[in-house]
Amino acid sequence: MATLWVALDVSEREAAEARMACLAPHRTFKVGLELYHRIGPEGVLHWTQQGYEIFLDMKLHDIPRTVAGAVANLARLGVSLITLHVSGGRQMLEAAREAAPSTSLIGVTVLTSLGSEDLAGLGYTSSLPELVALYAQTARVAGLAGVVVSAPELPAIQREWPRARLVVPGIRWPGEAADDQKRVGQPEAIVAQGGTDLVLGRGLWQTADPVGRLEALKRLAT
Ligand code: C5P
């Protein structure tokens, strides 16, 4: 059964709570950088104390000691998942895991908004699938709970690391715009291929009936 994380990609607490109310009794939400930098840790704590499960998509990337300290403080908010960039290196990932042993830490491999040409422009010589596989292996060795991957790389990572939490953003329905995402996938295929956690962002709100779309997805994911 996959968990459906609804991304609260808005700038104001009121707008986030309006979306939460619209989808009630849904309880699993993702808070990213945009909203976190508005509501802060107190805002997140307020929701976890109300029984919401929060995926804190902080995409941390710094020296090991700094990331470990940040993860320890974030874990105290009672959040379920925290993301950090695998490109920060194995030592950083291990320091984070030691700092928050009971929180699921998820490694960001390659952002779904990046394509092969972007990686080449940044000086990477590995192909995109090779890089994602290498990052997933690094996350696994460092003891993380799983990785963020996009739909095209999901089957390969699932084969290599079947017990991982495989968090998949960039979900779109047939005929819908990819927006700034370059690697997108459709929900049926992602669930069938072993995605354990689906991130629902613009795809959920692009329809006139987000509640109906979420209900249909819940049936698919169970
Ligand atoms: O709106 P859309 O469906 O593109 O939303 C994608 C969500 O997933 C955003 O909140 C974005 O920050 C997040 N995400 C992503 N790529 C990653 C990790 C998280 O798009 N690698």
Side-chain angles (χ1 to χ4, degrees), residues 7 9 30 57 59 108 111-112 148 169-170 172 181 199 201-203:
D9 290 334
K30 182 174 90 72
D57 191 12
K59 297 191 176 71
V108 176
L111 292 172
T112 37
V148 182
R172 294 293 183 273
Q181 301 284 24
V199 176
R202 285 163 290 189

Side-chain angles (χ1 to χ4, degrees), residues 7 21 25 30 40 58 67 69 77 83 107 110 123 127 134 151 153 168 170 176 186-187 199-200 218:
K30 182 174 90 72
M58 294 290 97
V67 168
L77 304 175
T83 52
V110 178
S127 71
L134 180 64
E153 298 101 42
V168 189
E176 289 185 351
Q186 294 179 14
V199 176
L200 306 170
K218 280 183 182 164

Side-chain angles (χ1 to χ4, degrees), residues 47-153:
W47 288 336
T48 57
Q49 286 176 340
Q50 288 184 338
Y52 287 102
E53 285 184 52
I54 300 294
F55 168 2
L56 211 42
D57 191 12
M58 294 290 97
K59 297 191 176 71
L60 301 169
H61 188 173
D62 207 319
I63 60 171
R65 184 186 174 281
T66 302
V67 168
V71 162
N73 279 338
L74 295 172
R76 289 165 65 187
L77 304 175
V79 297
S80 306
L81 264 58
I82 300 172
T83 52
L84 59 175
H85 276 284
V86 176
S87 55
R90 183 170 162 182
Q91 281 184 335
M92 185 200 85
L93 303 176
E94 288 174 345
R97 182 177 51 78
E98 282 162 27
S102 356
T103 306
S104 291
L105 299 183
I106 304 294
V108 176
T109 55
V110 178
L111 292 172
T112 37
S113 54
L114 297 178
S116 302
E117 62 292 352
D118 300 300
L119 294 184
L122 290 168
Y124 289 94
T125 49
S126 303
S127 71
L128 200 151
E130 283 169 353
L131 196 60
V132 173
L134 180 64
Y135 280 9
Q137 191 189 2
T138 304
R140 179 184 191 172
V141 169
L144 264 54
V147 279
V148 182
V149 290
S150 73
E153 298 101 42

